[in-house]
Amino acid sequence: MDFWVRAAQLILSLSLLIVLHEFGHYLPAKWFNTKVEKFYLFFNPYFSVFKKKIGDTEWGLGWIPLGGYVKIAGMVDESMDKEQLAQPPQPWEFRSKPAWQRLIIMLGGIIVNIIVGFLIYIMVLFVWGEEKVNHQKLTSGVAVHPYFEQFGFRSGDKILSVDGQKADEVSKLGMEIMIFGKTHFKVQHEDGKIEMIVLPEDIGDRMWDNNAEAAFGFRYFPGPLDTVIAGSAAERVGLKKGDQILAINGKRFRFYDEMATELYHNKGKKCELEIRSGNSTLTKKVKVGENGKIGFLPELKVNTDTSAIYTQYYSFGESFGSGFSKGYKSIYANIVQFKYVFSKKGAESIGGVGSIGKLFPPVWDWQAFWTLTAFLSMMLAIMNLLPIPALDGGHVMFLLYEMITGRAPGQKFMEYAQYVGFFLLLGLILYANGKDLVGAITG
């Protein structure tokens, strides 16, 4: 059931964004008297689920739910309609329009996605507010990734401020460091001592290299094992779902992060686990991986610090400022993350439709749905702006070249570029979704 709820949210979200994106191309095309031959949600090779011609445009629904398109007359696009392009240019065709009009048509979808993202963020904040955390009320403090211990952080700390601003989040603090370059932290340790911790300038790269992106989190009481990953060290020594780890190397723990820290500090070494399995208490030795893990996920029970979580509500006017700020941060994060994506680890972490679907909750939650839709709208805008032929950004790149040099690239060149871009995107889609499929099969 969880799968279908997530799938329904994903399809609805992407469908809305795709239709609005394509309208971003359609409307300026019509304003400039350019013929739009087709407007499709999803792709329709060989046949369409539904189609109806209204005026000059065929409106339809395809059967491959991976995107959508508008076919604009006289444009070198994914349809590769060479027969039309071989004819003399007609005044209603894309290729007959001035470069500045063609540029607006190509940027239209991206602009609409950005505007939609801002509007949704504003709407979400006005309707539901925003969940925040009062760090002073976190009686057990925060869980700290063990990599950050070298800088002076300890699990149980309270984060008082970040770069001089009041800290009101926990799980997003890692992103604030990696993406937004926040380095000055005012913390209160468990003994009450207040300290200013300054992180190095290259901390983002260090976090990425050391798998420390989840720098801070809430503290949880560990429960029985919920998942034992197939092929992991935990499975090889006989751990199974429902077992409970009582101690590691003779140490007992109150919080799960303490257990994770002990494993992290024993990377590449053997640890002794005390385990309750059914009515028996067992001792097993297991080798910890170089990532500081042995391959299990416990049931997590939030501690008593839930009273520190509150909802901040916004007036209609306040929601505009805060919504615009969230939208800007979303755009900035989508741009900056490319420096991490274009690396070996980044390539390994790329996911497809399945990975995006898992971002949605397993129950229908309109606040989560619209928040993720806003995020995806900004992501689609940035992805489409990439200077890759077959994407909007590729067309924009060639149009800017034409406007600067006064010479348009040749039609043959554009056709070959479109082929290259198409196969590049197809390869990326197959790779990302193939990884999701393998992950689903192997666990």
Side-chain angles (χ1 to χ4, degrees), residues 83 108 155 256:
E83 183 178 338
S155 286
Y256 172 68

Side-chain angles (χ1 to χ4, degrees), residues 13-19 21 66-67 109-110 113-114 334 356 373-386 391-392:
S13 176
L14 291 182
S15 297
L16 288 170
L17 295 178
I18 290 165
V19 168
H21 177 93
L66 290 176
I110 294 169
N113 277 138
I114 291 174
N334 272 292
I356 297 174
T373 299
F375 167 77
L376 291 175
S377 190
M378 297 304 195
M379 184 180 77
L380 286 173
I382 300 304
M383 293 296 291
N384 268 289
L385 195 55
L386 291 175
L391 288 179
D392 296 344

Side-chain angles (χ1 to χ4, degrees), residues 4 19-20 28 44 55 72 76 83 180-181 189 191 196 204 221 250 260 282 301 342 347 360 394 397:
W4 294 111
V19 168
L20 291 170
N44 62 318
I72 301 174
V76 181
E83 183 178 338
F180 298 100
H189 299 300
D191 60 5
M196 179 63 72
F221 299 128
L282 310 172
K301 300 177 182 178
F342 293 123
F360 289 91
M397 175 179 64

Side-chain angles (χ1 to χ4, degrees), residues 15 17 121 144 175 180 198 209 272-273 322 344 350 423:
S15 297
L17 295 178
Y121 277 127
V144 175
M175 186 179 74
F180 298 100
V198 181
D209 292 339
E272 185 176 87
L273 308 182
S322 297
K344 181 181 177 181
I350 289 175
F423 285 111

Side-chain angles (χ1 to χ4, degrees), residues 398-399 401-402 407-411 413-414:
F398 292 130
L399 281 166
Y401 170 83
E402 178 183 345
R407 300 191 310 273
Q411 183 175 305
F413 173 82
M414 291 294 291

